[in-house]
Amino acid sequence: MSQSVDRALGILPLLARGPADLGGVARELDVHKSTALRLLRTLHAHGLVYRQPDGRYRLGAHLFALAAEAVENLDVREIAHPHLVELGARTGHTVHLAVHQDDEVVYIDKVDSRYPVRMYSRIGKPVPLTVAAVSKVLLADLPEPERRALAARVEYPRYTARSIPDADAFLRELDLVREQGWAADLGGHEESINCVGAPVRGADGRAVAAMSLSAPGVVVTAEELLDLLPLVRAGAETISREYAGSGPAPLPAEAGAGPESGA
């Protein structure tokens, strides 16, 4: 990277902390004021920096507009899909991606398992809000007032004996999920299906989607599925880094075996 570009980019995090005068920018960059002024003028010409009436500089409106446009055009499904395929290939189980919309959590992508028993789920289908792992992951990330308001207005169908029965139990479950950073549905929707999920986060740290791994109990036990949780979390973290623009990272080497090898 050229020295001028490197120095110019160094101004942006400084101004993100608040307005600064020319002397402060020069000291931060360890350059002469004339050099700092030249860099500031270039950034100002592109709308990335704005000079206030008091002579101090702050981040420009065009920078915020670019950031907003970039976030709006990000497609988490497009970014996540290769990683869903990879996780499915490494485990053999069903992989889902879901997002929170209003009072629904909806599947936006799915990679089917490689064994004959298939899950009854499809892209665009809302998930059981109070029991699904992806739902718990996404709702646990809501601010507490929103969590409490949602818990008070949703219904609590008893799909199985393990379904969450009421708002108090649901809030306790969401608190646990928020603390541990992942969620599970071990027979809460269907006795025979278990699922683990983890959040995909944006640059601001908020959950923008949830990724999950599901399998019937006739293929793997709940304990065996939980053993694959590190792969799910690592996959979600990789998607998060790519979505946030901080770079990809590989899944860990120790993959759990798929159903054909008894995992």
Side-chain angles (χ1 to χ4, degrees):
M1 182 184 296
S2 76
Q3 188 176 50
S4 293
V5 173
D6 186 57
R7 285 172 172 170
L9 292 177
I11 293 173
L12 300 180
L14 168 64
L15 300 186
R17 299 195 295 268
D21 60 19
L22 178 60
V25 172
R27 285 191 298 274
E28 178 74 12
L29 299 182
D30 193 23
V31 297
H32 193 273
K33 285 185 178 181
S34 61
T35 300
L37 181 59
R38 175 172 52 82
L39 295 172
L40 285 164
R41 283 175 172 170
T42 300
L43 292 172
H44 184 275
H46 289 277
L48 304 180
V49 161
Y50 175 75
R51 187 174 185 271
Q52 300 180 159
D54 64 2
R56 294 185 301 165
Y57 294 85
R58 61 172 170 80
L59 294 180
H62 187 54
L63 183 63
F64 297 110
L66 288 173
E69 183 178 0
V71 170
E72 183 177 339
N73 289 325
L74 278 177
D75 184 347
V76 68
R77 181 185 182 277
E78 181 180 354
I79 294 169
H81 186 73
H83 301 288
L84 270 63
V85 171
E86 182 177 359
L87 182 60
R90 297 184 76 172
T91 64
H93 306 316
T94 301
V95 187
H96 287 108
L97 187 73
V99 295
H100 180 210
Q101 299 174 338
D102 299 321
D103 275 359
E104 289 186 333
V105 172
V106 179
Y107 292 127
I108 61 170
D109 203 359
K110 177 185 179 183
V111 175
D112 279 311
S113 66
R114 62 170 176 246
Y115 39 83
V117 180
R118 296 297 173 92
M119 288 189 60
Y120 181 69
S121 60
R122 64 179 185 271
I123 295 173
K125 179 181 174 66
V127 309
L129 201 65
T130 59
V131 292
V134 289
S135 175
K136 295 175 188 176
V137 164
L138 291 166
L139 300 183
D141 195 63
L142 294 174
E144 184 177 0
E146 293 184 36
R147 292 201 309 274
R148 292 191 171 278
L150 184 142
R153 66 177 176 264
V154 301
E155 298 180 352
Y156 294 87
R158 298 304 299 270
Y159 300 105
T160 75
R162 297 181 181 180
S163 299
I164 293 177
D166 54 43
D168 288 341
F170 190 41
L171 288 170
R172 288 195 298 271
E173 178 76 1
L174 295 184
D175 285 342
L176 175 62
V177 170
R178 192 178 180 90
E179 179 181 349
Q180 67 190 12
W182 57 273
D185 169 17
L186 305 180
H189 182 225
E190 299 178 61
E191 290 280 3
S192 60
I193 301 292
N194 298 308
C195 180
V196 291
V200 172
R201 300 190 182 278
D204 61 359
R206 297 296 303 273
V208 297
M211 177 185 189
S212 68
L213 188 67
S214 304
V218 296
V219 176
V220 292
T221 65
E223 290 75 17
E224 288 169 329
L225 188 66
L226 285 167
D227 286 341
L228 298 176
L229 177 61
L231 283 180
V232 180
R233 299 188 72 181
E237 288 167 5
T238 299
I239 298 167
S240 299
R241 282 190 288 269
E242 293 190 15
Y243 184 81
S246 56
L251 288 172
E254 59 276 11
E260 295 177 351
S261 58

